[in-house]
């Protein structure tokens, strides 16, 4: 009850003071809802061939038009949202767990542990995501698992760096020292004292990783290394539509706009969370 | 004659810049100090003089490069074996307590680590909040809801809850207002009367140190240049550096 | 001696969770040209609020409800953004408690100095300014980033910036609190010397009574958002006439004899919800009488200073010369 109230109050404040973030949150919520409920929405079957004429422009029957096989494009875009979000969320969750673990190890133990973790992250960081993508796709074959692996590999180094640096600053605080002197185990210090205090930074980083993940997923699918037909993701829809860019631009436009909206809304929400966590930055002499 | 609880013998701490080799620098040089039960030793000096490093050695957080630390007459060993026997109160009242834990949970932690049962823990936490002059109401509050002086009282409660033999106060009152500082200093002295712990009071503030300590060691560039009873620091101490610190009090 | 700063009946409120609180409750203060005035008091007494109100450098939740602030003829309360900017830039210089947060960590000192001076100063001009603040190797300092400087050097850079445009008033908020005890005195001396060379006035916000007694001509003691005692430093600190001033001195370590116990001030400073109708110090005061709880004391002259206490004469007589008595 009181939680619901305070969330409502926070949302109200956000709407009044930061319209842009509020808009981002609204768009993101809408997209996630559409993605979740997609299969049950009365939009038609995304895989039904010849549901209408081929490459038809948007109309009441087919709001986003139809593709070259006469499939209605709206349910395909909805399926694309679902696939893109799902893959990114799975990948970023893996990233968050693995990245936070190694980042905390490096930041808390420092010394040799830090040396190895930081160098490892640097090495991963040195490869562009696309090269990693080609490599992984070549080894594991294209598909969803490869896409998840590539997103994780590409975002883990960023995560490790951020978690490591916030851990370094938290580990220097008095309550950690006091706990060490009391004889606490490193496990206890990391779970009781460090993790709850870096959670804010982790969540912010999570949203950034999420938007990077969506970009990588789309890129891979666009290159044909991600989601395989007949399944759709926003990236594979872009690829499919780009072949008919001149005669049926609505295909690329609809998938591209939804993708841009998704990435923008995730970033806006990330910024809003960051502002909420560090509200007083640069406020002294106004 | 009371027993020394902490005994430092020819302590040297050398820091090396870089991963391997690099330039070496002695943060602490040939320090001999002992602190008795029920006694407070003040340690004053400017930042970079090595007093915080020496404090970390006394807490077992840092192994000296040379020399030995004896605790209660025996070699110090591992920090985990000494749990409950020593503790620390630090500066920065806003970071001295985990902001995500209720004050009661922070004070409870040393007892959990010691393996005390829940019933006993609840009793001891309540008793120690009482001892530091905070009522029951504070057990369930978060540090953010407390003033600087109250947070420092909670820190002291956490340090005392296992009834340790030795406590390090590292700049423990430096960030507090004058009137609150006096309350906390008086509290430290009263609690020492009651519990009999030995204490190391590290500070750059000679006035507060002189007030709370029995003896004062003056540290300058890694060395103890003077170690004398506090009364000396109400008159004229021997070492020129001590005299310079004193001039700030005139 | 004309007044450079005149603050009259100033009321500043803060909007916060749980309603509005008063930071200043009818504060009065004047700063004469060329003098050094210290403002002392606990956190929450209003000393930072009144000090920063001079340049209207207040947090966004603060609101000026009543009163006037006049700085060198400019009405700060009515000034528009441009007038305020000019006032801060040309006539005020600020020195903050922590030089490391006051300096921009991403910028070399040289560029920060250029910004503080304004226009296109020559390297020599910057070096002269840094040398005046007693930085011996200005070339090296100019090349440095803030983290490459010690706390004392960084504070000297801040001081050089504060005096760069020859301000008429320097506002120093706990200027030495973050520095080592061994260099505090020297930094204060530098600050005092530069103030004198510029013929400027200075307002020091501090809780360090010892520092205040050495470096301020006059001292104003704040409590509950008002100035409760103001006068010559020696007069006020050696023979306080307000019970709160007396309690502050008795609580500070450094004046006691060996074995003597400090007397902390019990309780906490008040949180004012509106104008205080009584003496705000009454709940903590050892001299309090029934009258203190029903009538708000106004400032009145007692023994060569102004005091807001119904029983100031009694307090002054009872305390005697405490500074000397305790150290003697």
């Amino acid at each position: 009850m009181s939680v619901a109230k305070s969330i409502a109050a926070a949302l109200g404040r956000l709407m009044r003071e930061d319209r842009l973030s509020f808009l981002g949150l609204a768009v993101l919520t809408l997209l996630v809802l559409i993605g979740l409920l997609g299969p049950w929405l009365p939009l038609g079957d995304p895989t039904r061939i010849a549901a209408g004429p081929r490459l038809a422009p948007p109309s009441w029957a087919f709001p986003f038009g139809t593709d070259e096989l006469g499939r209605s494009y709206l349910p395909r875009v909805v399926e694309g949202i679902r696939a893109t979000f799902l893959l990114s969320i799975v990948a970023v969750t893996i990233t968050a767990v693995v990245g936070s673990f190694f980042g905390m190890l490096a930041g808390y133990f420092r010394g040799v542990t830090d040396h190895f973790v930081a160098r490892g992250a640097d090495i991963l960081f040195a490869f562009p995501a696309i090269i990693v993508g080609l490599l992984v796709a070549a080894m594991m074959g294209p598909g969803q698992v490869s896409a998840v692996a590539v997103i994780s590999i590409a975002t883990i180094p960023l995560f490790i760096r951020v978690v490591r640096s916030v851990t370094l600053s938290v580990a220097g605080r008095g309550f950690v020292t006091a706990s060490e002197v009391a004889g606490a185990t490193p496990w206890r210090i990391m779970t009781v004292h460090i993790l709850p205090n870096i959670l804010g930074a982790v969540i912010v980083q999570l949203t950034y990783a999420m938007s990077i993940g969506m970009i990588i997923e789309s890129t891979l699918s666009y290159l044909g290394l991600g989601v395989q037909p007949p399944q759709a993701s926003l990236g594979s829809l872009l690829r499919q539509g780009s072949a008919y860019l001149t005669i049926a631009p609505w295909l690329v436009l609809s998938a591209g706009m939804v993708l841009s909206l998704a990435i923008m809304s995730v970033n806006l929400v990330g910024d809003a969370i960051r502002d909420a966590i560090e509200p007083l930055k640069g406020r002294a002499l106004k | 004659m009371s027993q020394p609880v902490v005994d430092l013998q020819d302590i040297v701490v050398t820091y090396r810049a870089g991963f391997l080799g690099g330039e070496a620098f002695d943060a602490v040089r040939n320090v001999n100090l002992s602190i008795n039960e029920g006694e407070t030793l003040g340690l004053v000096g400017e930042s970079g003089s090595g007093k915080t490093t020496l404090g970390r050695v006394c807490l077992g957080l840092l192994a000296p490069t040379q020399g030995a630390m004896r605790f209660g007459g025996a070699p110090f060993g591992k920090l985990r074996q000494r749990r409950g026997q020593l503790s620390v109160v630090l500066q920065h009242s806003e970071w001295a307590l985990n902001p995500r834990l209720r004050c009661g949970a922070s004070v409870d932690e040393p007892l959990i680590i010691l393996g005390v049962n829940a019933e006993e823990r609840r009793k001891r936490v309540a008793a120690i909040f009482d001892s530091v002059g905070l009522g029951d109401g504070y057990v369930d509050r978060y540090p953010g809801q407390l003033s600087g002086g109250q947070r420092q009282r909670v820190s002291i409660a956490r340090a005392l809850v296992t009834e340790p033999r030795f406590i390090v106060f590292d700049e423990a009152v430096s960030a507090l207002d004058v009137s609150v500082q006096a309350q906390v200093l008086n509290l430290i002295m009263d609690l020492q009367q009651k519990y009999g712990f030995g204490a190391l009071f590290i500070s750059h503030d000679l006035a507060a140190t002189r007030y709370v300590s029995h003896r004062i060691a003056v540290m300058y560039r890694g060395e103890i240049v003077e170690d004398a009873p506090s009364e000396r620091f109400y008159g004229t101490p021997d070492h020129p550096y001590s005299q310079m610190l004193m001039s700030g009090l005139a | 001696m004309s007044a450079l700063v005149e603050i009259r009946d100033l009321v500043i409120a803060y909007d916060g969770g749980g309603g509005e609180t008063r930071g200043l409750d009818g504060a009065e203060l004047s700063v004469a040209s060329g003098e050094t005035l210290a403002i002392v008091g606990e956190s929450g007494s209003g000393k930072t609020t009144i000090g920063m109100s001079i340049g209207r450098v207040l947090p966004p939740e603060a609101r000026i409800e009543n009163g006037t602030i006049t700085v060198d003829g400019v009405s700060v309360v009515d000034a528009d953004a441009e007038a305020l900017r000019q006032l801060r830039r040309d006539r005020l210089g600020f020195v903050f408690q922590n030089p490391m947060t006051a300096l921009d960590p991403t910028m070399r000192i040289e560029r920060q100095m250029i910004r503080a001076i304004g226009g296109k100063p020559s390297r020599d001009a910057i070096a002269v300014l840094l040398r005046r603040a007693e930085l011996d190797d200005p070339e090296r300092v100019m090349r440095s980033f803030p983290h490459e400087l010690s706390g004392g050097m960084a504070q000297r850079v801040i001081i050089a910036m504060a005096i760069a445009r020859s301000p008429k008033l320097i506002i120093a908020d706990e200027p030495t609190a973050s520095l080592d005890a061994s260099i505090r005195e020297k930094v204060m001396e530098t600050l005092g010397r530069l103030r004198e060379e510029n013929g400027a006035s200075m307002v020091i916000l501090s809780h360090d009574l010892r520092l205040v007694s050495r470096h301020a001509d006059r001292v104003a003691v704040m409590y509950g958002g008002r100035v409760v005692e103001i006068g010559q430093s020696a007069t006020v600190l050696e023979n306080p006439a307000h019970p709160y001033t007396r309690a502050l001195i008795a609580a500070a370590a450094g004046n006691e004899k060996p074995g003597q116990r400090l007397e902390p001030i019990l309780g906490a400073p008040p949180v004012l919800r509106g104008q205080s109708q009584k003496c705000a110090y009454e709940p903590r005061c050892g001299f309090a009488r029934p009258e203190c709880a029903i009538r708000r004391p106004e400032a009145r002259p007692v023994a060569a200073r102004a005091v807001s206490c119904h029983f100031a004469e009694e307090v002054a007589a009872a305390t005697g010369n405490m500074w000397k008595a305790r150290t003697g």
Side-chain angles (χ1 to χ4, degrees), chain A residues 104-105 108-109 175-195, chain B residues 61 78-81 83-84 109-110 112-115:
Chain A
M104 268 165 55
L105 280 188
Y108 180 63
F109 286 109
F175 57 84
V176 173
T177 310
S179 187
E180 285 169 344
V181 172
T185 55
W187 173 253
R188 183 179 177 84
I189 286 171
M190 283 196 264
T191 52
V192 175
H193 294 299
I194 294 180
L195 190 58
Chain B
L61 291 169
K78 283 236 160 57
L79 198 49
R80 201 150 162 77
Q81 298 156 354
R83 59 187 190 270
E109 187 182 33
I112 297 176
I113 293 167
L114 257 185

Coordinates of all heavy atoms in Angstrom, one line a residue, chain A residues 104-105 108-109 175-195, chain B residues 61 78-81 83-84 109-110 112-115:
Chain A
M104 N 33.4 -7.0 -8.4 CA 33.5 -6.9 -7.0 C 34.7 -7.6 -6.5 O 35.4 -7.1 -5.6 CB 32.2 -7.5 -6.3 CG 31.2 -6.4 -6.0 SD 29.6 -7.1 -5.7 CE 29.9 -8.2 -4.3
L105 N 35.0 -8.7 -7.1 CA 36.3 -9.4 -6.7 C 37.5 -8.5 -6.9 O 38.3 -8.3 -6.0 CB 36.5 -10.7 -7.6 CG 35.7 -11.9 -7.2 CD1 36.2 -13.1 -8.0 CD2 35.9 -12.3 -5.7
Y108 N 37.4 -5.4 -4.6 CA 37.6 -5.6 -3.1 C 39.0 -6.2 -2.8 O 39.6 -5.7 -1.9 CB 36.5 -6.5 -2.6 CG 36.6 -6.8 -1.1 CD1 36.6 -5.7 -0.2 CD2 36.9 -8.0 -0.6 CE1 36.8 -5.9 1.1 CE2 37.1 -8.2 0.8 CZ 37.0 -7.2 1.6 OH 37.2 -7.3 3.0
F109 N 39.4 -7.2 -3.6 CA 40.7 -7.8 -3.2 C 41.8 -7.0 -3.8 O 42.9 -7.1 -3.2 CB 40.7 -9.3 -3.8 CG 39.9 -10.2 -2.9 CD1 38.7 -10.7 -3.4 CD2 40.3 -10.5 -1.6 CE1 37.9 -11.6 -2.7 CE2 39.5 -11.3 -0.9 CZ 38.3 -11.9 -1.4
F175 N 32.6 1.6 7.2 CA 31.8 0.5 7.7 C 32.4 -0.8 7.2 O 32.3 -1.9 7.8 CB 30.3 0.6 7.4 CG 30.0 0.8 5.9 CD1 29.9 -0.3 5.1 CD2 29.8 2.0 5.4 CE1 29.6 -0.1 3.7 CE2 29.5 2.2 4.1 CZ 29.4 1.1 3.2
V176 N 33.1 -0.8 6.0 CA 33.8 -2.0 5.6 C 35.0 -2.3 6.4 O 35.2 -3.4 6.8 CB 34.2 -1.8 4.1 CG1 35.0 -3.0 3.6 CG2 33.0 -1.7 3.2
T177 N 35.8 -1.3 6.7 CA 36.9 -1.5 7.6 C 36.5 -2.0 9.0 O 37.1 -3.0 9.5 CB 37.7 -0.1 7.8 OG1 37.9 0.4 6.5 CG2 39.0 -0.4 8.5
A178 N 35.5 -1.4 9.5 CA 35.0 -1.8 10.8 C 34.6 -3.3 10.8 O 34.8 -4.1 11.7 CB 33.8 -1.0 11.3
S179 N 33.9 -3.7 9.7 CA 33.5 -5.1 9.6 C 34.7 -6.0 9.4 O 34.7 -7.1 10.0 CB 32.6 -5.2 8.4 OG 32.0 -6.5 8.3
E180 N 35.7 -5.6 8.7 CA 36.9 -6.4 8.6 C 37.6 -6.6 9.9 O 38.0 -7.7 10.3 CB 37.9 -5.7 7.6 CG 37.6 -5.8 6.2 CD 38.4 -4.9 5.3 OE1 39.1 -4.0 5.8 OE2 38.4 -5.1 4.1
V181 N 37.7 -5.5 10.7 CA 38.3 -5.6 12.0 C 37.5 -6.5 12.9 O 38.1 -7.3 13.7 CB 38.5 -4.2 12.6 CG1 38.9 -4.3 14.1 CG2 39.4 -3.4 11.8
A182 N 36.2 -6.5 12.7 CA 35.4 -7.4 13.6 C 35.5 -8.9 13.1 O 35.0 -9.8 13.8 CB 33.9 -7.0 13.4
G183 N 36.2 -9.1 12.0 CA 36.5 -10.5 11.6 C 35.6 -11.1 10.6 O 35.5 -12.3 10.4
A184 N 34.9 -10.2 9.8 CA 34.0 -10.7 8.8 C 34.7 -11.3 7.7 O 35.8 -11.0 7.3 CB 33.1 -9.5 8.3
T185 N 34.0 -12.4 7.1 CA 34.6 -13.0 5.9 C 34.4 -12.1 4.7 O 33.5 -11.3 4.7 CB 33.9 -14.4 5.6 OG1 32.5 -14.1 5.5 CG2 34.1 -15.3 6.8
P186 N 35.3 -12.3 3.7 CA 35.1 -11.5 2.4 C 33.7 -11.7 1.8 O 33.1 -10.7 1.3 CB 36.1 -12.1 1.5 CG 37.2 -12.6 2.4 CD 36.5 -13.1 3.6
W187 N 33.1 -12.9 1.9 CA 31.8 -13.2 1.4 C 30.8 -12.3 2.1 O 29.9 -11.7 1.5 CB 31.5 -14.7 1.6 CG 30.0 -15.0 1.2 CD1 29.0 -15.3 2.1 CD2 29.5 -15.0 -0.1 NE1 27.9 -15.5 1.4 CE2 28.1 -15.4 0.1 CE3 30.0 -14.8 -1.4 CZ2 27.2 -15.5 -1.0 CZ3 29.1 -15.0 -2.5 CH2 27.8 -15.3 -2.3
R188 N 30.9 -12.2 3.4 CA 29.9 -11.4 4.2 C 30.1 -9.9 3.8 O 29.1 -9.2 3.6 CB 30.3 -11.6 5.7 CG 29.3 -10.8 6.5 CD 29.5 -11.0 8.0 NE 28.5 -10.1 8.6 CZ 27.3 -10.5 8.9 NH1 26.9 -11.7 8.6 NH2 26.4 -9.6 9.4
I189 N 31.3 -9.5 3.7 CA 31.5 -8.1 3.4 C 31.0 -7.7 2.0 O 30.3 -6.7 1.8 CB 33.0 -7.7 3.4 CG1 33.4 -7.7 4.9 CG2 33.3 -6.4 2.8 CD1 34.9 -7.6 5.2
M190 N 31.2 -8.7 1.0 CA 30.7 -8.4 -0.3 C 29.1 -8.4 -0.4 O 28.5 -7.6 -1.1 CB 31.3 -9.3 -1.3 CG 32.7 -8.9 -1.6 SD 33.4 -9.6 -3.1 CE 34.3 -10.9 -2.4
T191 N 28.5 -9.4 0.3 CA 27.1 -9.5 0.2 C 26.3 -8.5 1.1 O 25.3 -7.9 0.7 CB 26.6 -10.9 0.5 OG1 27.1 -11.3 1.8 CG2 27.0 -11.9 -0.6
V192 N 26.8 -8.3 2.3 CA 26.1 -7.4 3.2 C 26.5 -5.9 3.0 O 25.6 -5.1 3.1 CB 26.4 -7.8 4.7 CG1 25.7 -6.8 5.7 CG2 25.9 -9.2 4.9
H193 N 27.7 -5.7 2.8 CA 28.2 -4.3 2.8 C 28.4 -3.7 1.4 O 28.1 -2.5 1.2 CB 29.4 -4.1 3.6 CG 29.2 -4.4 5.1 ND1 28.4 -3.6 5.8 CD2 29.7 -5.3 5.9 CE1 28.4 -4.1 7.1 NE2 29.2 -5.1 7.1
I194 N 28.9 -4.4 0.5 CA 29.3 -3.8 -0.8 C 28.1 -3.9 -1.8 O 27.7 -2.8 -2.3 CB 30.6 -4.4 -1.4 CG1 31.7 -4.1 -0.5 CG2 30.8 -3.9 -2.8 CD1 33.1 -4.6 -0.9
L195 N 27.6 -5.1 -2.0 CA 26.5 -5.2 -3.0 C 25.3 -4.2 -2.8 O 25.0 -3.5 -3.8 CB 26.0 -6.6 -3.1 CG 25.1 -7.0 -4.3 CD1 25.8 -6.6 -5.6 CD2 24.7 -8.4 -4.2
Chain B
L61 N 45.2 -5.1 10.1 CA 44.8 -5.0 8.7 C 46.0 -4.9 7.8 O 45.9 -5.1 6.6 CB 44.0 -3.7 8.5 CG 42.6 -3.7 9.2 CD1 42.0 -2.2 9.1 CD2 41.7 -4.6 8.5
K78 N 46.1 -14.3 13.0 CA 45.1 -13.8 12.0 C 44.0 -13.0 12.6 O 43.5 -13.3 13.7 CB 44.5 -15.0 11.3 CG 45.5 -15.7 10.3 CD 44.9 -15.7 8.9 CE 45.9 -15.9 7.8 NZ 46.7 -17.0 7.9
L79 N 43.5 -12.0 11.8 CA 42.4 -11.2 12.3 C 41.2 -12.0 12.7 O 40.5 -11.7 13.7 CB 42.1 -10.2 11.2 CG 41.3 -8.9 11.6 CD1 41.9 -8.2 12.7 CD2 41.2 -8.0 10.4
R80 N 40.9 -13.0 11.9 CA 39.7 -13.8 12.2 C 39.8 -14.5 13.5 O 38.7 -14.7 14.2 CB 39.5 -14.8 11.0 CG 38.1 -15.2 10.9 CD 37.5 -15.6 9.6 NE 36.3 -16.4 9.8 CZ 35.2 -15.9 10.2 NH1 35.0 -14.6 10.3 NH2 34.1 -16.6 10.4
Q81 N 41.0 -14.9 13.9 CA 41.1 -15.6 15.2 C 40.9 -14.6 16.4 O 40.7 -15.0 17.5 CB 42.5 -16.2 15.4 CG 42.8 -17.3 14.4 CD 44.3 -17.5 14.1 OE1 45.1 -16.7 14.7 NE2 44.6 -18.5 13.4
R83 N 38.7 -12.2 16.5 CA 37.4 -11.5 16.3 C 36.8 -11.3 17.7 O 36.8 -12.1 18.6 CB 36.5 -12.2 15.4 CG 36.1 -13.6 15.7 CD 35.3 -14.1 14.5 NE 34.7 -15.4 14.8 CZ 35.3 -16.6 14.5 NH1 36.5 -16.6 14.0 NH2 34.7 -17.7 14.8
G84 N 36.2 -10.1 17.9 CA 35.6 -9.7 19.2 C 36.6 -9.1 20.1 O 36.2 -8.5 21.1
E109 N 26.3 -6.9 14.0 CA 27.2 -7.6 13.2 C 28.4 -8.3 13.9 O 28.6 -9.5 13.7 CB 27.6 -6.8 12.0 CG 28.4 -7.6 11.0 CD 29.0 -6.8 9.8 OE1 29.3 -5.7 10.0 OE2 29.0 -7.4 8.7
P110 N 29.1 -7.5 14.7 CA 30.3 -8.2 15.3 C 29.8 -9.4 16.2 O 30.6 -10.4 16.3 CB 30.8 -7.1 16.2 CG 30.4 -5.8 15.6 CD 29.0 -6.1 15.0
I112 N 27.2 -11.4 15.5 CA 26.9 -12.5 14.5 C 28.2 -13.2 14.1 O 28.3 -14.4 14.1 CB 26.2 -11.9 13.3 CG1 24.8 -11.3 13.7 CG2 26.0 -13.0 12.2 CD1 24.1 -10.6 12.5
I113 N 29.2 -12.3 13.8 CA 30.5 -12.9 13.4 C 31.1 -13.8 14.5 O 31.7 -14.8 14.3 CB 31.4 -11.7 13.0 CG1 30.9 -11.1 11.7 CG2 32.9 -12.3 12.7 CD1 31.6 -9.7 11.4
L114 N 30.9 -13.3 15.8 CA 31.4 -14.1 16.9 C 30.6 -15.4 17.1 O 31.0 -16.3 17.8 CB 31.3 -13.3 18.2 CG 32.5 -12.6 18.7 CD1 32.2 -12.0 20.0 CD2 33.6 -13.6 18.9
G115 N 29.4 -15.5 16.5 CA 28.5 -16.7 16.7 C 27.7 -16.7 17.9 O 27.3 -17.7 18.5

